[in-house]
Amino acid sequence: METTLMRAVATKDRDSALDGLSLTELPKPQPAENDVVVQVHAAGFLKGEPDWPSTWTDRAGRDRTPSVLGHELSGVVVELGHGTTGLTIGQRVFGLTDWGRNGTLAEYTAVEARNLAPLHVDVDHVTAAAIVMPGLTAWQALFDHGRLQAGQTVLVHGAGGSVGSVGIQLAREAGAHVIATGRKSARDQAGSLGAHEFLDLENERLEDAGEVDVVFDVIGGDILNRSTQLLRPGGTLVTVAEPPTVQPRDGRAIFFVVEPDRAQLTQLATRLREGRLVPLVTDVRPLEEAVKAFTERGRSVIKVV
């Protein structure tokens, strides 16, 4: 039986990392049990992926190179694995792939069906791919870990970025008072997305934010440490940057890694369709330019799809 090949952005050598990244041909993936194969229409990535151990080994610790990068996708189901239920061939879907398997910077990818959610025809693939990581990260930070409630005050760092901007929108819609932080250039954007207040961290004191119930941090370092002092008794700091080294006096500080979640993806898709949620996308490129987008230095971009 002849092997069907596809184009994919992959890296073969951990030592060379980004220098070893290339657009190459690899066998089209076959679906395992409870998998689907998705024809990828749009994909997203994080530039830190070559630093992740899961990029190089599977869950059993075995080498899995050449590794296809990217974990966010939107596309169409073209094949079902044995026992797969809940999705059908020809269905539009979007979601987050497993960290320890080949990713989405490819023409096709195999992914567990439970990691995907249906995507209505009213939502385009670029928008869907752009919301996956920021949307799930912000949702899980604010509601799963931060337990944010209407009437509470939340401090959202990184207002100018893809994750912080979604956090502002979700927190505002939930009825929270939103204080956003970022560079001066992000002030107008933060206000348009629903932030009630904005702190320019280059020229204003973080401590001027006052007491808050929840902090959502994407920066780490000194900002993370100082933010713990802003929490009201019983408050929660949630970060995706690094494990906290400073604990709040009377509260919680939590570090987490985002996980796939179909129910949350469905909530995000509804908001996209109704115009209640807008992801930030600054660059859309063909697959042929994915290596360049991944390796470019010195450019400040919010989200590349």
Side-chain angles (χ1 to χ4, degrees):
M1 182 177 178
E2 185 177 351
T3 301
T4 302
L5 297 178
M6 67 170 186
R7 294 180 304 158
V9 175
T11 182
K12 299 180 180 180
D13 185 357
R14 188 169 188 170
D15 292 332
S16 61
L18 289 180
D19 292 334
L21 197 62
S22 65
L23 180 63
T24 187
E25 288 191 333
L26 293 175
K28 179 182 173 183
Q30 300 299 310
E33 187 174 1
N34 298 317
D35 273 359
V36 298
V37 173
V38 176
Q39 183 179 21
V40 181
H41 286 232
F45 62 87
L46 295 176
K47 287 198 172 185
E49 290 179 31
D51 298 327
W52 302 350
S54 59
T55 295
W56 306 101
T57 58
D58 63 18
R59 290 185 179 274
R62 298 169 298 208
D63 180 272
R64 67 176 189 86
T65 56
S67 300
V68 179
L69 300 181
H71 290 282
E72 303 156 282
L73 86 157
S74 182
V76 175
V77 176
V78 294
E79 193 172 351
L80 303 178
H82 177 72
T84 299
T85 59
L87 298 175
T88 59
I89 291 177
Q91 188 169 20
R92 301 173 88 247
V93 293
F94 76 122
L96 187 66
T97 65
D98 190 281
W99 306 122
R101 298 177 64 177
N102 273 343
T104 60
L105 291 179
E107 292 177 313
Y108 297 90
T109 189
V111 55
E112 287 187 76
R114 65 177 181 172
N115 292 354
L116 302 170
L119 182 68
H120 195 274
V121 69
D122 289 348
V123 181
D124 67 86
H125 288 295
V126 168
T127 300
I131 200 64
V132 172
M133 191 86 74
L136 288 176
T137 302
W139 189 286
Q140 291 168 22
L142 294 172
F143 306 127
D144 292 352
H145 300 292
R147 303 172 187 170
L148 184 66
Q149 301 291 324
Q152 291 186 326
T153 298
V154 59
L155 181 66
V156 179
H157 290 310
S162 60
V163 178
S165 62
V166 172
I168 291 170
Q169 296 174 75
L170 292 177
R172 175 64 184 258
E173 187 184 54
H177 182 85
V178 183
I179 305 171
T181 77
R183 298 179 184 272
K184 181 179 179 180
S185 58
R187 183 183 298 273
D188 290 344
Q189 174 183 285
S192 69
L193 294 176
H196 297 90
E197 301 179 50
F198 181 84
L199 282 177
D200 168 13
L201 291 183
E202 295 175 313
N203 299 294
E204 298 177 275
R205 296 176 64 252
L206 173 61
E207 288 71 20
D208 291 341
E211 287 191 332
V212 301
D213 300 288
V214 177
V215 174
F216 177 23
D217 171 66
V218 298
I219 299 174
D222 180 60
I223 294 297
L224 168 61
N225 292 337
R226 290 162 60 196
S227 295
T228 61
Q229 307 306 312
L230 303 178
L231 288 175
R232 293 190 174 107
T236 304
L237 180 148
V238 186
T239 180
V240 294
E242 59 186 287
T245 58
V246 176
Q247 292 294 318
R249 292 184 299 274
D250 184 15
R252 302 181 302 148
I254 298 169
F255 168 77
F256 82 100
V257 176
V258 64
E259 293 291 341
D261 190 294
R262 177 181 285 182
Q264 292 171 4
L265 287 168
T266 300
Q267 292 277 3
L268 295 171
T270 298
R271 285 163 172 76
L272 289 176
R273 187 183 177 195
E274 295 175 354
R276 294 186 285 141
L277 184 61
V278 180
L280 300 185
V281 182
T282 54
D283 209 351
V284 181
R285 302 194 184 189
L287 185 62
E288 292 82 0
E289 295 183 19
V291 173
K292 181 180 178 182
F294 218 114
T295 57
E296 279 178 337
R297 295 174 175 85
R299 293 188 68 219
S300 178
V301 294
I302 295 172
K303 186 67 178 177
V304 180
V305 173

